[in-house]
Amino acid sequence: MRHVGAIAGRELRSLFVSPVAYAVLTLFSVLAGFFFLLSVQGFSEAINYYQQIGQFEALRGINLNNQLIGPFIQVMWIVFLFLIPGITMGLFAMEKTNGTEELLMTSPLTMWELVLGKYLAAAAFVTLLILMMGFFPSLLFLDGDTPVLGLLFGGFDLADPDPEGLQTLAGLLGLWLLGLTYAAVGTFASSVTRNQLVAFFLALALLLVLWLLSVVADLGVAEGAAGTATGLASVLTWLSTSDHFDKLARGLIDTRDLAYFGFMIGAFLILTKTAVESVRWR
Amino acid sequence: MMKVWSSLLMALGGVAFLFAVLSFLMQLLSGPVLLWNELVWSLGNLLVGLGLMGTAIFSNLDGFRERMQTGEARRAGKYGTSAVLTAALGIALLGLLAFMSTRYHTRWDWTDLVVVGVYSPMAAVPAKELLERYSFISEKVKVEWLDPERQPGRLRELEIEPERLREGLLHVTIGEESVEVREMTEEALTNAIVKLTRREQKKVYFVIGHNERPTEGDGAEEATGFAFAAEALTNENCSTPSMRLFAPTRSGAVH
């Protein structure tokens, strides 16, 4: 396993010597900033609306976590859905296109070292994205008297201006785990094709299926006689990423959800290893 | 050229086969009754898929046969089977661990629990003793005291009507959800916390279709209706869908 770090480092360096990483990071920070400002604007409009109609009780009930940080994290999930396949599409497909796959396969590396090294590079990049994204909600933790909050909320004094730190951290943890799962799916998609564009769309299709499985289960149950939720529906709901992520985003850390993300990452890495290894016997 | 056509047919066959499996799964999910016209759709897809895949194999039969007779095929069969079985075993083991995690699990709620004690200073002593025990055990329990005579504005913010107060109450909040506790016992307060932390909504089905008492529509709010019972259950964080015990078919007949 001593080569894992070297492979991960090499992958990360290759991302940063080309403009790809900088373009992705710039695009991501622009999108994160844009959606954060939209969330702040929505929050500010809700405050103004309640003030205008004199609903001060409703105003007091407004919460930064539920009305601002939560929607922001949910939107960034959609951004991840499209961005992470873009990061992972070249991991194995590029080796095949450049003709360096044979060098890798004949080098004194175990298959797991190769797969984990590539995956860890993608995971490190996802972690960097989460850290960048965490900057925006952290603005809200500044003291209420600072100009930042005054600027954001027009000087309105919230009943409870401080968002809950742990709930925000749980949301970011959920998005990080989701990003790591998406990176594992993207790594697998990249290992089964030599075309980067095909790898991108394959990963996107798999992620959409994982997202929509719970919707399929709900539709199936809703169409039939009420109360016929079968074991299959429960399995489909469990396999879907949506429910697990939603719970984390609400601040509820459950070992069942952590185990789900562990299972998905492990399963897709095993599939990746089998797909990469298959060139030796196909 | 033949190889390209055979690959294309194989891919199309795979898509049709996948459609067949998915549509059959959807039917299984939608209830115990399988409808004939939907089964025909699944079977049609299955036949088309198998047909296309069979055609793909037959159109490239020579290449396939040649491959099967070489050492390459034997090697692929041997190592391929081993690799696929190892992967399946690994995923099955992970699945087993994930299944175990659904049976034995722990969770941490990272949202704060706020308890507002609404009492006059004289009546607040027993409540204070009770709440001190909770806040001592967990830092997440934040306690606030509210004197209804001195802070009527805060009382309105919490939407507590003074006439409902009597001796006082505890207003327990987690996130956006809140519940009121009137009985000053450990059991009542723990029940309230359990109710708020139980995020999964329970379902209570109301049977319909055979002149049962309605929960909505005509007569629901009369003495014989169940509208108020359904509303009370909704207030207890339950959803109240209706259910027919027998599934109707498309023609409207009842089994």
Short mmCIF file of all heavy atoms in Angstrom, two decimals, chain A residues 224-245:
data_model
loop_
_atom_site.label_atom_id
_atom_site.label_comp_id
_atom_site.label_asym_id
_atom_site.label_seq_id
_atom_site.Cartn_x
_atom_site.Cartn_y
_atom_site.Cartn_z
N GLY A 224 -50.16 1.64 -6.62
CA GLY A 224 -50.89 0.44 -6.24
C GLY A 224 -51.81 0.68 -5.07
O GLY A 224 -52.09 1.82 -4.70
N ALA A 225 -52.31 -0.41 -4.50
CA ALA A 225 -53.16 -0.28 -3.33
C ALA A 225 -52.30 0.26 -2.20
O ALA A 225 -51.15 -0.10 -2.07
CB ALA A 225 -53.69 -1.65 -2.96
N ALA A 226 -52.90 1.15 -1.40
CA ALA A 226 -52.11 1.77 -0.34
C ALA A 226 -51.65 0.69 0.63
O ALA A 226 -52.32 -0.30 0.86
CB ALA A 226 -52.97 2.80 0.39
N GLY A 227 -50.47 0.91 1.19
CA GLY A 227 -49.98 -0.02 2.18
C GLY A 227 -49.29 -1.23 1.61
O GLY A 227 -49.04 -2.19 2.31
N THR A 228 -48.97 -1.21 0.30
CA THR A 228 -48.32 -2.39 -0.27
C THR A 228 -46.83 -2.16 -0.48
O THR A 228 -46.25 -2.64 -1.43
CB THR A 228 -48.97 -2.76 -1.61
OG1 THR A 228 -48.90 -1.59 -2.44
CG2 THR A 228 -50.37 -3.22 -1.45
N ALA A 229 -46.23 -1.37 0.39
CA ALA A 229 -44.79 -1.14 0.29
C ALA A 229 -44.07 -2.48 0.50
O ALA A 229 -44.13 -3.06 1.56
CB ALA A 229 -44.35 -0.14 1.35
N THR A 230 -43.46 -2.95 -0.56
CA THR A 230 -42.85 -4.28 -0.50
C THR A 230 -41.40 -4.16 -0.03
O THR A 230 -40.87 -3.08 0.11
CB THR A 230 -42.86 -4.91 -1.89
OG1 THR A 230 -42.17 -4.02 -2.76
CG2 THR A 230 -44.26 -5.14 -2.37
N GLY A 231 -40.78 -5.34 0.18
CA GLY A 231 -39.38 -5.36 0.56
C GLY A 231 -38.52 -4.74 -0.53
O GLY A 231 -37.55 -4.06 -0.26
N LEU A 232 -38.96 -4.95 -1.79
CA LEU A 232 -38.21 -4.42 -2.93
C LEU A 232 -38.19 -2.89 -2.89
O LEU A 232 -37.16 -2.25 -3.14
CB LEU A 232 -38.88 -4.90 -4.22
CG LEU A 232 -38.10 -4.69 -5.50
CD1 LEU A 232 -36.77 -5.41 -5.44
CD2 LEU A 232 -38.90 -5.18 -6.68
N ALA A 233 -39.36 -2.31 -2.53
CA ALA A 233 -39.43 -0.84 -2.42
C ALA A 233 -38.47 -0.34 -1.34
O ALA A 233 -37.79 0.67 -1.52
CB ALA A 233 -40.85 -0.40 -2.12
N SER A 234 -38.40 -1.08 -0.24
CA SER A 234 -37.49 -0.67 0.85
C SER A 234 -36.05 -0.75 0.38
O SER A 234 -35.24 0.13 0.71
CB SER A 234 -37.65 -1.57 2.07
OG SER A 234 -38.99 -1.81 2.32
N VAL A 235 -35.72 -1.80 -0.38
CA VAL A 235 -34.35 -1.95 -0.86
C VAL A 235 -34.00 -0.81 -1.82
O VAL A 235 -32.93 -0.21 -1.73
CB VAL A 235 -34.16 -3.32 -1.57
CG1 VAL A 235 -32.82 -3.39 -2.28
CG2 VAL A 235 -34.26 -4.44 -0.55
N LEU A 236 -34.95 -0.49 -2.73
CA LEU A 236 -34.70 0.61 -3.68
C LEU A 236 -34.51 1.93 -2.94
O LEU A 236 -33.62 2.71 -3.27
CB LEU A 236 -35.86 0.73 -4.68
CG LEU A 236 -35.98 -0.36 -5.74
CD1 LEU A 236 -37.10 -0.05 -6.71
CD2 LEU A 236 -34.67 -0.51 -6.51
N THR A 237 -35.35 2.16 -1.93
CA THR A 237 -35.23 3.40 -1.15
C THR A 237 -33.89 3.43 -0.44
O THR A 237 -33.23 4.48 -0.38
CB THR A 237 -36.37 3.50 -0.12
OG1 THR A 237 -37.59 3.25 -0.80
CG2 THR A 237 -36.42 4.85 0.54
N TRP A 238 -33.47 2.28 0.10
CA TRP A 238 -32.19 2.23 0.81
C TRP A 238 -31.02 2.50 -0.15
O TRP A 238 -30.07 3.18 0.21
CB TRP A 238 -32.02 0.85 1.49
CG TRP A 238 -30.77 0.80 2.32
CD1 TRP A 238 -30.62 1.24 3.59
CD2 TRP A 238 -29.48 0.29 1.92
NE1 TRP A 238 -29.32 1.06 4.00
CE2 TRP A 238 -28.60 0.47 3.01
CE3 TRP A 238 -28.99 -0.29 0.75
CZ2 TRP A 238 -27.27 0.08 2.96
CZ3 TRP A 238 -27.65 -0.67 0.71
CH2 TRP A 238 -26.81 -0.49 1.79
N LEU A 239 -31.13 1.96 -1.37
CA LEU A 239 -30.04 2.13 -2.34
C LEU A 239 -29.93 3.57 -2.84
O LEU A 239 -28.87 3.99 -3.30
CB LEU A 239 -30.25 1.21 -3.54
CG LEU A 239 -29.81 -0.24 -3.36
CD1 LEU A 239 -30.20 -1.06 -4.57
CD2 LEU A 239 -28.31 -0.34 -3.14
N SER A 240 -31.02 4.32 -2.76
CA SER A 240 -31.01 5.70 -3.25
C SER A 240 -30.22 6.60 -2.31
O SER A 240 -30.27 6.44 -1.09
CB SER A 240 -32.45 6.20 -3.37
OG SER A 240 -32.44 7.55 -3.65
N THR A 241 -29.47 7.55 -2.89
CA THR A 241 -28.66 8.44 -2.06
C THR A 241 -29.52 9.50 -1.34
O THR A 241 -29.10 9.99 -0.29
CB THR A 241 -27.64 9.20 -2.94
OG1 THR A 241 -28.28 9.62 -4.12
CG2 THR A 241 -26.45 8.34 -3.27
N SER A 242 -30.70 9.82 -1.90
CA SER A 242 -31.47 10.99 -1.42
C SER A 242 -31.79 10.94 0.07
O SER A 242 -31.48 11.89 0.80
CB SER A 242 -32.78 11.14 -2.19
OG SER A 242 -32.73 10.54 -3.41
N ASP A 243 -32.39 9.83 0.53
CA ASP A 243 -32.86 9.78 1.91
C ASP A 243 -31.70 9.89 2.90
O ASP A 243 -31.80 10.57 3.93
CB ASP A 243 -33.61 8.47 2.17
CG ASP A 243 -34.97 8.49 1.52
OD1 ASP A 243 -35.26 9.49 0.84
OD2 ASP A 243 -35.72 7.53 1.69
N HIS A 244 -30.59 9.20 2.58
CA HIS A 244 -29.44 9.20 3.49
C HIS A 244 -28.85 10.61 3.60
O HIS A 244 -28.50 11.07 4.69
CB HIS A 244 -28.38 8.22 2.99
CG HIS A 244 -28.91 6.83 2.85
ND1 HIS A 244 -29.09 6.00 3.93
CD2 HIS A 244 -29.33 6.13 1.78
CE1 HIS A 244 -29.57 4.85 3.52
NE2 HIS A 244 -29.74 4.90 2.22
N PHE A 245 -28.76 11.28 2.45
CA PHE A 245 -28.19 12.63 2.46
C PHE A 245 -29.12 13.61 3.18
O PHE A 245 -28.66 14.46 3.95
CB PHE A 245 -27.92 13.09 1.02
CG PHE A 245 -27.51 14.53 0.93
CD1 PHE A 245 -26.31 14.95 1.45
CD2 PHE A 245 -28.35 15.46 0.34
CE1 PHE A 245 -25.93 16.27 1.38
CE2 PHE A 245 -27.98 16.78 0.27
CZ PHE A 245 -26.77 17.19 0.79
#
